[in-house]
Amino acid sequence: MANVFPPVTQPNNKENLKDDLTTRRIRVFEGRYGTNALLLAYHAAFPLTLTSDLLYCLRENFVPDVPWYAVADVLLSGLCQPAGYDLYEMEAKTRDGLLRRLCKQFGEQRLKQLANFMCEYIRNRLQVEKNDRALVFGQRPDWTALAYLSSDQQELINAIKQELQQVLASTDAKERIRWAVLVESYADLLSEKGFEPLLLQWSQQIIDGEPIQDEEEKEIAATMGVSLQTFEFDVAAIIPDDEAGEQLQTFEFDTVTVNARGKVIHKERNQAFYFPEFLGEAVGKPSALQIEMVAIRGGTFEMGSPPDEPQRYDDESPQHTVTVQPFFLAKYPVTQAQWRFVAQLPQVNQELDPDPSRFKGDDRPVERVSWYDAVEFCLRLSQYTGRPYSLPSEAEWEYAARAGTTTPFHFGKTITSELANYDAGYTYGRGPKGIYREETTEVGSFEIANAFGLYDMHGNVDEWCLDDWHDNYEDAPTDGSLWFDNNDNLSQKQGVAVLRGGSWISDPIGCRSASRNFNPWRDDINGCFGFRVACGVGRTLK
């Protein structure tokens, strides 16, 4: 609609308001998450787009004293907005405000250091093939938008630019427009200091030249005998007073260590971080029903059992070193109340029985669910929350179960029915016999967790992992990732999967941290089979 009023010179209240909102957003973030997290946010403002892996690397290289969980604080707060799977962006004014504070805190030389770091970061994702450098994108071409030009790395920049041209040629119109808009939002401060993102020249050609139209738009315009033109418009953003965002909370729990006979010789009070995933009428609003997602710090461990572990199996070999990235894992197996809520959410691939369990109880773990059922649960939960939920990889599960221990159980060398729900008519090592309950128990009812704050990792229900079954660990991934033989389209996968942890019907051997249940086909349903959900880096379901 044309503006029929004469122009009037006014203060730019919109800019002032935006600046005020930016200042308030940063102030609220610091008040909520602390100065350490804010230091990481300063550095997170430099790349055009952020991934979890990139932010972990920024922390390790520039602010290593900042706690690792500050990565989640930055990505899940109001400073960032999701732009795709494990891909985040910052609003331009927020980015600019953080970078100006970065320069004040660390000096302008830090910008050059960050630019050089970004080039090195991308170079580590380059491979040499037929004497030509090519970016290893997989299905993630977004890496090209991550860096600013740095004159110190001209050879590398030219290689990246060449690859960028190839990517742009194969990218559809809508995606190219999104990238162009992204580049236009880069920080004013970086422009002032002479830094230029890799996509800038290309994006200006798009915005200053003819508008990009996809094939459907062209066809509609041709049919109607019209030409499409561009127009400008304002978008209003509503920002709540409390700058809604996720905040990691703390909880306390008890851990115990037992001797070879199962006697508790040490009990300790510990603390861990988590965030509540609320399951209620409104997404993200507090509700009584929730899934508590515990922060699992990254680290390295020996996966599998050592040759001298009693009653071990060959499928637990060879023991090998695995490095796992930080992620979140549910404090408990999924309960029947949680299952019912998610089962009534919109279907993704298949229907879910809202009440499949043999042993009834809201706080008992859901059981009699197949691998496909568990995957559908994760898909629906992801769709509902906007966060990437999945089953854990087998390596993630064992890393989480061990929680830094190397003994058969996180309790120690044996297990007792006072600490877990299993068939205690059998013993392990010199441990005692105990109660065989012949049914599931309410999650967390033994009130003893491992050092990460996870409950029921031994017994109660077997827990599905996402990986394909393998007879041993030959050629297993060493980075904690999923181990698929072929098709990664989960709704189409066939064959045998993996269960971990043992159940109420298992003997102690099957409840060890290293034990692997190799019997289940993906469509098997059993009163022993349940699962818990994971959330975090490098996971996606389809």
Side-chain angles (χ1 to χ4, degrees):
M1 182 176 182
N3 183 0
V4 297
F5 297 99
V8 178
T9 302
Q10 297 179 357
N12 194 335
N13 292 328
K14 184 165 66 174
E15 288 301 314
N16 291 338
L17 175 60
K18 215 166 190 180
D19 287 339
D20 290 342
L21 291 175
T22 297
T23 301
R24 184 159 61 94
R25 180 181 286 121
I26 295 173
R27 184 178 66 249
V28 169
F29 178 88
E30 182 178 16
R32 177 174 290 168
Y33 300 105
T35 302
N36 277 336
L38 185 60
L39 293 178
L40 181 60
Y42 292 166
H43 294 79
F46 188 85
L48 274 173
T49 53
L50 276 173
T51 65
S52 301
D53 178 71
L54 173 57
L55 193 50
Y56 284 122
C57 290
L58 285 170
R59 182 192 73 85
E60 291 173 4
N61 282 273
F62 292 99
V63 282
D65 294 335
V66 172
W68 65 269
Y69 51 80
V71 170
D73 293 337
V74 173
L75 295 180
L76 297 177
S77 71
L79 294 182
C80 297
Q81 298 82 39
Y85 173 69
D86 191 32
L87 193 66
Y88 303 85
E89 298 170 1
M90 281 189 186
E91 179 267 338
K93 289 294 181 182
T94 301
R95 182 195 309 280
D96 191 66
L98 289 170
L99 288 174
R100 292 184 186 279
R101 291 181 178 219
L102 173 79
C103 290
K104 185 176 181 180
Q105 180 90 17
F106 298 96
E108 292 186 9
Q109 181 62 26
R110 182 55 60 94
L111 296 177
K112 175 65 72 174
Q113 294 168 351
L114 282 164
N116 289 335
F117 165 82
M118 287 304 307
C119 284
E120 291 295 332
Y121 182 81
I122 291 183
R123 181 161 65 180
N124 288 334
R125 282 148 182 82
L126 289 172
Q127 63 182 3
V128 177
E129 182 178 352
K130 297 179 181 178
N131 298 320
D132 291 326
R133 292 178 182 268
L135 279 175
V136 185
F137 286 121
Q139 296 180 351
R140 292 291 306 283
D142 310 273
W143 294 116
T144 52
L146 291 176
Y148 290 90
L149 297 183
S150 169
S151 57
D152 296 343
Q153 304 281 345
Q154 196 59 50
E155 180 184 354
L156 176 59
I157 291 167
N158 291 336
I160 296 174
K161 281 185 172 180
Q162 183 177 2
E163 178 65 20
L164 176 58
Q165 292 175 351
Q166 298 175 9
V167 172
L168 296 180
S170 61
T171 303
D172 63 35
K174 291 181 180 178
E175 184 67 8
R176 293 202 302 272
I177 292 172
R178 189 185 77 81
W179 283 12
V181 173
L182 170 64
V183 172
E184 286 301 302
S185 72
Y186 86 105
D188 294 340
L189 175 67
L190 293 174
S191 178
E192 295 171 9
K193 303 301 180 183
F195 290 88
E196 181 177 296
L198 289 171
L199 294 178
L200 181 61
Q201 183 177 1
W202 168 80
S203 69
Q204 288 175 337
Q205 291 172 355
I206 291 174
I207 294 176
D208 296 338
E210 294 296 321
I212 296 177
Q213 301 169 15
D214 62 26
E215 294 304 318
E216 183 179 2
E217 290 170 336
K218 291 178 180 178
E219 183 178 346
I220 294 173
T223 301
M224 298 182 65
V226 300
S227 60
L228 298 179
Q229 302 180 20
T230 60
F231 67 97
E232 295 183 353
F233 56 93
D234 291 327
V235 176
I238 300 175
I239 303 177
D241 288 340
D242 60 355
E243 289 282 87
E246 301 297 341
Q247 181 179 11
L248 290 182
Q249 304 175 28
T250 59
F251 69 99
E252 294 187 342
F253 55 92
D254 290 324
T255 61
V256 299
T257 303
V258 299
N259 62 18
R261 297 187 179 277
K263 181 180 179 180
V264 174
I265 57 175
H266 181 72
K267 187 173 184 178
E268 186 175 352
R269 193 74 170 166
N270 291 284
Q271 189 177 80
F273 293 90
Y274 81 104
F275 74 85
E277 190 64 88
F278 295 114
L279 305 179
E281 292 184 5
V283 179
K285 296 296 183 182
S287 62
L289 185 62
Q290 58 185 256
I291 300 176
E292 295 173 274
M293 299 300 300
V294 178
I296 308 299
R297 62 179 180 270
T300 299
F301 80 113
E302 295 301 309
M303 185 173 181
S305 59
D308 60 349
E309 183 163 301
Q311 298 176 283
R312 68 188 295 272
Y313 292 103
D314 290 342
D315 60 33
E316 301 162 17
S317 297
Q319 195 173 34
H320 57 293
T321 302
V322 177
T323 299
V324 176
Q325 295 297 316
F327 66 106
F328 293 88
L329 191 65
K331 184 189 291 187
Y332 310 109
V334 170
T335 67
Q336 293 173 39
Q338 293 164 350
W339 175 271
R340 277 198 307 274
F341 178 87
V342 174
Q344 54 84 38
L345 295 175
Q347 177 177 328
V348 178
N349 287 325
Q350 66 174 56
E351 295 181 354
L352 291 178
D353 180 352
D355 188 22
S357 300
R358 172 184 174 188
F359 305 108
K360 307 298 183 184
D362 283 356
D363 294 327
R364 291 194 190 208
V366 67
E367 16 89 5
R368 299 191 75 251
V369 292
S370 71
W371 183 90
Y372 297 109
D373 293 333
V375 167
E376 175 71 13
F377 180 98
C378 295
L379 287 168
R380 295 190 190 189
L381 184 61
S382 298
Q383 184 173 267
Y384 172 74
T385 63
R387 277 189 268 270
Y389 281 96
S390 75
L391 298 175
S393 71
E394 191 176 7
E396 287 174 332
W397 191 96
E398 185 171 329
Y399 175 75
R402 290 187 178 279
T405 63
T406 58
T407 49
F409 309 90
H410 66 71
F411 310 116
K413 294 183 177 180
T414 192
I415 189 173
T416 76
S417 62
E418 295 178 358
L419 301 175
N421 181 18
Y422 64 100
D423 185 352
Y426 298 88
T427 62
Y428 186 83
R430 292 190 290 163
K433 288 187 176 182
I435 302 169
Y436 176 31
R437 296 175 175 85
E438 302 186 62
E439 61 181 351
T440 60
T441 50
E442 291 188 355
V443 299
S445 58
F446 293 92
E447 299 182 348
I448 296 296
N450 69 9
F452 283 153
L454 303 173
Y455 292 79
D456 298 343
M457 296 301 285
H458 301 303
N460 214 8
V461 288
D462 287 291
E463 298 181 15
W464 288 109
C465 294
L466 202 53
D467 311 48
D468 293 331
W469 168 259
H470 297 86
D471 290 335
N472 55 53
Y473 289 135
E474 294 289 345
D475 300 320
T478 59
D479 60 358
S481 60
L482 303 173
W483 193 7
F484 287 152
D485 288 330
N486 43 41
N487 182 14
D488 63 355
N489 188 317
L490 302 185
S491 63
Q492 298 176 5
K493 288 194 75 67
Q494 303 293 320
V496 179
V498 184
L499 287 163
R500 286 302 208 110
S503 73
W504 58 271
I505 203 173
S506 300
D507 61 24
I509 300 173
C511 295
R512 292 173 300 120
S513 295
S515 181
R516 310 170 69 212
N517 187 331
F518 59 88
N519 293 314
W521 291 79
R522 283 183 162 85
D523 57 358
D524 280 355
I525 293 176
N526 190 296
C528 308
F529 296 174
F531 67 101
R532 73 179 74 208
V533 295
C535 179
V537 180
R539 62 186 71 250
T540 184
L541 295 179
K542 54 183 177 179

